[in-house]
């Protein structure tokens, strides 16, 4: 899906999300208005419980807002039925979530290929080349036949990263994708996400607690108490001077 960089891929309009009801209710999102630009790498930061994961779930159509609109790629996903939403997620979005587990009975390789298979897409020679590159960068060459329970937590996390990248969806949403990783694997994952944006024209939205990791993004949104408290450009960007901003 090639379109002009910076044009909106997701728009949240006056989005609220309330969990529970009555005295026990929690307002996880409290009137969020935000636009995510195409071919941009956005980092979401903020304290624990501030609403970061909720925001990611809502903007990827995994969860409906209580009120407000979520417009993704021109579709108001708040008015889609479940089937349409499932198709939308399958075709357009790659997920790197700790709760979005790998299929336990499938090998690492089959897990990585699953999103493409679910789309009815037979991997081309180019797809296979790209997949080989991702697998090499993530250091997974010797784990492709392993099932998830035969791998370490960090390896499973890297397989989840490869799974989201290999199908090349328009948008990748990632919740702490480097949470279990050492500094070397963290750098590789960030490089892959960065090149997904810069070379393949994808859009990445990533939650992180780490300011240094967030500084690899083009934009940082800071969430506090269910609101966007700050919207800023990282202090230090690795993109060539003058190219991105
Ligand atoms: N399913 C749920 N039912 C009830 N409350 C929930 C639910 N999910 C999240 N919450 C509450 O909504 C608020 C926001 O949660 P969320 O998971 O978005 O926070 P977060 O910023 O991702 O935090 P963390 O950094 O700890 O992952 C929290 O107060 C949380 O307790
Ligand atoms: Mg969270």
């Amino acid at each position: 899906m090639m379109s002009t960089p910076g044009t909106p891929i997701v728009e949240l309009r006056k989005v609220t999300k309330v969990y529970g009801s009555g005295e026990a209710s929690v307002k996880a999102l409290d009137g969020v208005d935000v636009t995510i630009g195409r071919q941009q790498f956005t980092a979401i930061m903020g304290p624990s419980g501030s609403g970061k994961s909720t925001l990611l779930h809502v903007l990827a159509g995994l969860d409906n807002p209580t009120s407000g609109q979520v417009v993704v790629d021109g579709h108001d996903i708040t008015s889609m039925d479940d089937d349409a939403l499932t198709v939308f997620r399958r075709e357009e979005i790659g997920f790197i979530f700790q709760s979005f587990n790998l299929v336990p009975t499938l090998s690492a390789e089959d897990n990585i290929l699953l999103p493409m298979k679910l789309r009815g897409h037979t991997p081309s020679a180019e797809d296979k080349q790209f997949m080989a590159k991702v697998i090499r960068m993530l250091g997974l060459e010797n784990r492709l036949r392993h099932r998830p329970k035969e791998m370490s937590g960090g390896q499973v996390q890297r397989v989840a990263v490869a799974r989201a990248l290999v199908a090349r969806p328009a948008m990748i949403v990632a919740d702490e994708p480097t949470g279990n990783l050492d500094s070397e694997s963290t750098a590789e994952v960030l490089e892959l996400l960065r090149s997904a944006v810069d070379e393949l024209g994808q859009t990445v939205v990533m939650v992180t607690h780490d300011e240094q990791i967030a500084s690899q993004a083009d934009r940082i949104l800071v969430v506090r108490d269910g609101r966007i408290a700050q919207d800023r450009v990282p202090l230090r960007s690795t993109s060539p001077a003058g190219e991105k901003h």
Side-chain angles (χ1 to χ4, degrees):
M1 186 181 314
M2 282 294 125
S3 317
T4 320
T7 57
I9 189 166
V10 190
E11 287 180 78
L12 269 57
R13 299 180 188 148
K14 295 189 170 64
V15 165
T16 67
K17 178 70 185 179
V18 180
Y19 289 112
S21 59
E23 299 239 317
S25 71
V26 174
K27 205 172 213 179
L29 296 177
D30 187 11
V32 173
D33 278 296
V34 72
T35 299
I36 305 289
R38 252 173 225 291
Q39 300 180 29
Q40 283 189 337
F41 188 171
T42 300
I44 300 177
M45 301 191 74
S48 180
S50 57
K52 304 180 296 298
S53 295
T54 306
L55 179 59
L56 215 52
H57 289 184
V58 166
L59 68 78
L62 278 177
D63 213 350
N64 274 317
T66 306
S67 64
Q69 275 188 319
V70 182
V71 181
V72 181
D73 203 26
H75 308 277
D76 180 359
I77 62 173
T78 50
S79 62
M80 279 185 196
D81 64 25
D82 283 352
D83 289 347
L85 212 49
T86 302
V87 170
F88 161 75
R89 286 194 301 258
R90 193 175 68 205
E91 302 296 324
E92 309 283 356
I93 301 182
F95 295 94
I96 310 174
F97 282 175
Q98 253 134 37
S99 59
F100 229 71
N101 289 322
L102 302 179
V103 179
T105 52
L106 293 181
S107 68
E109 182 169 24
D110 288 341
N111 267 291
I112 291 168
L113 286 169
L114 189 61
M116 221 184 258
K117 289 204 174 130
L118 289 174
R119 288 179 195 178
H121 184 99
T122 310
S124 63
E126 193 202 337
D127 290 329
K128 284 181 185 158
Q129 235 172 37
F130 179 65
M131 177 174 166
K133 177 191 160 191
V134 168
I135 284 166
R136 210 170 38 244
M137 278 190 73
L138 292 171
L140 292 167
E141 316 79 320
N142 299 322
R143 292 293 177 276
L144 292 178
R145 299 258 169 89
H146 289 235
R147 294 195 188 157
K149 67 168 189 295
E150 297 159 350
M151 292 184 280
S152 73
Q155 286 164 347
V156 169
Q157 193 160 8
R158 281 176 277 152
V159 172
V161 170
R163 178 185 60 176
L165 285 166
V166 162
R168 279 173 285 183
M171 180 161 79
I172 294 171
V173 293
D175 203 345
E176 300 270 4
T178 58
N180 283 324
L181 303 181
D182 59 33
S183 56
E184 196 182 326
S185 300
T186 295
E188 301 287 16
V189 168
L190 287 172
E191 194 182 329
L192 282 165
L193 292 174
R194 194 62 260 180
S195 62
V197 174
D198 295 341
E199 286 163 32
L200 301 174
Q202 291 166 284
T203 303
V204 174
V205 185
M206 171 186 73
V207 170
T208 179
H209 278 105
D210 187 323
E211 180 74 42
Q212 215 184 328
I213 289 172
S215 75
Q216 308 291 309
D218 300 317
R219 178 189 191 189
I220 300 178
L221 297 174
V222 179
V223 181
R224 278 205 182 85
D225 298 327
R227 294 166 189 254
I228 308 289
Q230 263 185 53
D231 183 350
R232 61 180 162 89
V233 169
L235 297 175
R236 191 179 56 81
S237 173
T238 55
S239 52
E243 199 174 87
K244 275 282 176 194
H245 306 294

